[in-house]
Amino acid sequence: MMHQTQTQAVQTMTTQRVLRALIILESPDAAYRLVTCHADVVRLRSQTKQQDYLLLVKRQRLVVTTMHSGQIVLLNQVKQAKFQRLSDRRIGITIFCTTGQKVYEEVTLY
């Protein structure tokens, strides 16, 4: 029972980390618009900066990166992420952590 409680606590912490990381995508300040969504990469367009970004896993990190340079690290210890377009403004993200946890979240872009 103690092992199960510890496992649930780790899963909860992982889910909270993912939620905090994905808040940046839902920020009205960035005003990201979904351009394309593939299983391994999402292309976004910032309506405030008129710039394109990619959401992908790079070197075991979930990052938002520009086409030319610079990146924002959203989450570390990511083995893989799978993306799914749910609508014009919503994407489903399944994150596979290097620690073995798997987290699914839906993100709404504004």
Side-chain angles (χ1 to χ4, degrees), residues 80-91:
Q80 181 184 19
K82 291 187 180 182
F83 306 103
Q84 177 184 12
R85 183 181 201 134
L86 303 175
S87 72
D88 288 342
R89 292 184 359 178
R90 292 180 57 79
I91 54 176

Side-chain angles (χ1 to χ4, degrees), residues 14-96:
T14 302
T15 302
Q16 289 173 347
R17 278 185 32 232
V18 169
L19 289 172
R20 282 193 303 270
L22 297 179
I23 283 175
I24 201 166
L25 297 175
E26 294 184 327
S27 170
D29 295 333
Y32 289 120
R33 182 176 55 86
L34 182 59
V35 178
T36 59
C37 181
H38 301 281
D40 60 344
V41 65
V42 175
R43 184 169 168 216
L44 303 167
R45 174 114 180 126
S46 171
Q47 297 177 71
T48 57
K49 296 184 180 180
Q50 301 302 313
Q51 188 168 356
D52 288 342
Y53 294 87
L54 298 176
L55 173 64
L56 55 98
V57 174
K58 190 180 204 180
R59 297 186 189 119
Q60 295 190 339
R61 293 185 237 159
L62 182 66
V63 299
V64 175
T65 181
T66 63
M67 300 288 213
H68 306 288
S69 65
Q71 67 182 17
I72 301 168
V73 177
L74 301 179
L75 193 61
N76 290 306
Q77 297 179 325
V78 176
K79 182 178 180 180
Q80 181 184 19
K82 291 187 180 182
F83 306 103
Q84 177 184 12
R85 183 181 201 134
L86 303 175
S87 72
D88 288 342
R89 292 184 359 178
R90 292 180 57 79
I91 54 176
I93 305 172
T94 304
I95 297 172
F96 300 89

